[in-house]
Amino acid sequence: MEKNLHLNRLPSRPPLPARGIQSGSKMRMGPGRKRDFSPVPWSQYFENMEDVEVENETSTDTFRIYSSGSEGPVLLLLHGGGHSALSWAVFSAVIFNWIKCRVVAVDLRAHGDTTVNNSEDLSAETMSKDIGKVIEVLYGENPPPIMLIGHSMGGAIAVHTAAANLVPSLLGICVIDVVEGTAMDALNSMQNFLRSRPKTFKSLENAIEWSVKSGQIRNLESARVSMGGQVKKCEDPVSNPGISKTIIEEEEEEEEEEEAEGEGGEHGNEGESNNKRKKEDDLEVKECPYTWRIELAKTEKYWDGWFRGLSSLFLSCSVPKLLLLAGVDRLDKDLTIGQMQGKFQMQVLPQCGHAVHEDAPEKVAEALATFMVRHKFTETKGGFQCMFPAC
């Protein structure tokens, strides 16, 4: 099978100072100051952007990757469903300054700017093979040591990839906030969650604002760089009543309604009528500037295959394993027993949402850097201090 590598590189950014990023912060603003929801480019966090072309028997698939570094073990980063490689941006910049490594974040098939011939095939088997092919194109027959790191769906794909022995130089696995038991339980309510999201956004800024204020991403800095990988400009603008107003606009409308109701009498009725007309006018919006890059609801038939049997598959991997969770309640029976038997290392990062690596990138970077140094996979740099003296 012939495989080619096409590079589309932009100029490198200068390295960020160690611990110099406002990553874990929610960026609190003073009274009267508005938060900045403008997008931030990938080049502030990664050195290179590349398109990896994998030629199959009947088609060519192109995988977008973002990377930094040219020495040390590779941290291969796999994002969650609906997200993109850019969800790893802030984390990547932090850990790159703490340990000797190469970071490589991949847009998985049907996500981000990756384009594949069959974007509807999101089976665990196909996505795992994708990772093996990308590694082969990037590094040939003798790849450097590789640490697979995945969040949610990406964590499941990392485990399937490792279990299928598709990474010959695998050092270890890090799985972030995905456990078979809780994942399977959550599938029943997933469609309701997806239906509750806005279908469209007036602008990328509006999408960033929604992601932060809805709690999908609790870290503004990460949202400003990663939401561009979740949404795209609409190809065919149409009349769409689902377009999202900013949360601020919704609050202002509620205040106007309350004021109108308070006036009473004819004036109150007139205000209510005006507000009603305003809302009706909003339904006639004839633009759809931004929408989701992937319709996750249509991937439902693959969800079971991502997560069923994941705990035993994870435990069966012979390499060192790290599990990072947003809450200890996420552990299922198999993992609880495995953790008691010392089959993997676990760390709980409280006060985080599901997107742990976005909400608290410095904490995730610290846990992973400590894990890698402890196992002698790499060395520290930039004055990073391990969490354990034994490092």
Side-chain angles (χ1 to χ4, degrees), residues 269-283:
N269 294 332
E270 182 181 349
E272 184 178 344
S273 178
N274 288 338
N275 280 329
K276 184 177 181 180
R277 282 196 298 271
K278 183 176 185 300
K279 289 185 175 182
E280 289 173 348
D281 290 341
D282 284 339
L283 297 181

Side-chain angles (χ1 to χ4, degrees), residues 72-365:
V74 173
L75 308 184
L76 193 65
L77 310 174
L78 310 180
H79 60 79
H83 291 254
S84 79
L86 295 177
S87 69
W88 297 100
V90 183
F91 162 85
S92 295
V94 174
I95 199 163
F96 183 68
N97 281 286
W98 283 356
I99 60 173
K100 294 179 181 178
C101 67
R102 289 173 264 188
V103 291
V104 177
V106 184
D107 278 347
L108 300 175
R109 65 168 43 225
H111 290 75
D113 287 307
T114 282
T115 57
V116 296
N117 183 52
N118 185 5
S119 60
E120 295 184 359
D121 182 5
L122 293 181
S123 66
E125 181 181 3
T126 296
M127 296 179 80
S128 298
K129 289 180 178 178
D130 286 342
I131 301 307
K133 292 175 184 177
V134 168
I135 291 172
E136 186 178 346
V137 171
L138 286 175
Y139 305 112
E141 296 181 356
N142 298 301
I146 294 174
M147 178 84 183
L148 284 177
I149 303 163
H151 166 249
S152 194
M153 176 195 77
I157 301 306
V159 173
H160 283 278
T161 303
N165 296 314
L166 295 172
V167 184
S169 58
L170 186 64
L171 280 177
I173 311 171
C174 174
V175 174
I176 301 177
D177 212 43
V178 57
V179 168
E180 178 184 351
T182 51
M184 296 300 295
D185 291 343
L187 294 184
N188 294 328
S189 59
M190 184 58 66
Q191 288 287 6
N192 288 334
F193 164 74
L194 294 175
R195 281 193 290 269
S196 72
R197 303 190 306 176
K199 291 181 175 61
T200 56
F201 300 93
K202 294 193 301 182
S203 64
L204 182 51
E205 288 82 355
N206 183 203
I208 293 169
E209 178 186 30
W210 172 84
S211 72
V212 174
K213 293 190 173 181
S214 68
Q216 176 179 289
I217 303 173
R218 301 183 183 183
N219 179 351
L220 176 56
E221 183 187 11
S222 188
R224 291 175 66 189
V225 65
S226 72
M227 276 304 290
Q230 290 195 55
V231 298
K232 63 180 179 179
K233 285 189 176 181
C234 291
E235 297 174 359
D236 299 311
V238 293
S239 178
N240 193 321
I243 196 163
S244 169
K245 302 171 187 175
T246 65
I247 296 176
I248 294 174
E249 286 174 333
E250 291 174 349
E251 290 174 349
E252 288 175 349
E253 286 187 5
E254 289 176 1
E255 291 175 0
E256 289 174 2
E257 290 176 2
E258 290 174 359
E259 289 175 2
E261 291 173 0
E263 291 177 1
E266 293 180 0
H267 294 293
N269 294 332
E270 182 181 349
E272 184 178 344
S273 178
N274 288 338
N275 280 329
K276 184 177 181 180
R277 282 196 298 271
K278 183 176 185 300
K279 289 185 175 182
E280 289 173 348
D281 290 341
D282 284 339
L283 297 181
E284 298 301 321
V285 176
K286 294 185 179 180
E287 291 183 54
C288 169
Y290 285 86
T291 188
W292 301 103
R293 287 179 181 261
I294 179 173
E295 293 186 59
L296 284 175
K298 294 183 177 181
T299 68
E300 182 175 12
K301 63 182 178 180
Y302 298 111
W303 296 350
D304 187 90
W306 294 344
F307 304 119
R308 187 173 298 279
L310 186 63
S311 292
S312 60
L313 208 59
F314 174 72
L315 293 170
S316 71
C317 294
S318 59
V319 295
K321 297 174 285 293
L322 174 63
L323 178 62
L324 300 179
L325 299 175
V328 71
D329 59 315
R330 286 163 163 78
L331 276 184
D332 57 26
K333 180 179 178 181
D334 287 347
L335 289 182
T336 299
I337 295 173
Q339 202 270 333
M340 294 174 64
Q341 294 174 339
K343 291 185 177 180
F344 63 92
Q345 183 178 328
M346 184 186 74
Q347 187 168 339
V348 177
L349 301 175
Q351 298 180 332
C352 292
H354 179 51
V356 181
H357 60 300
E358 293 202 68
D359 294 349
E362 284 189 345
K363 291 181 180 179
V364 173

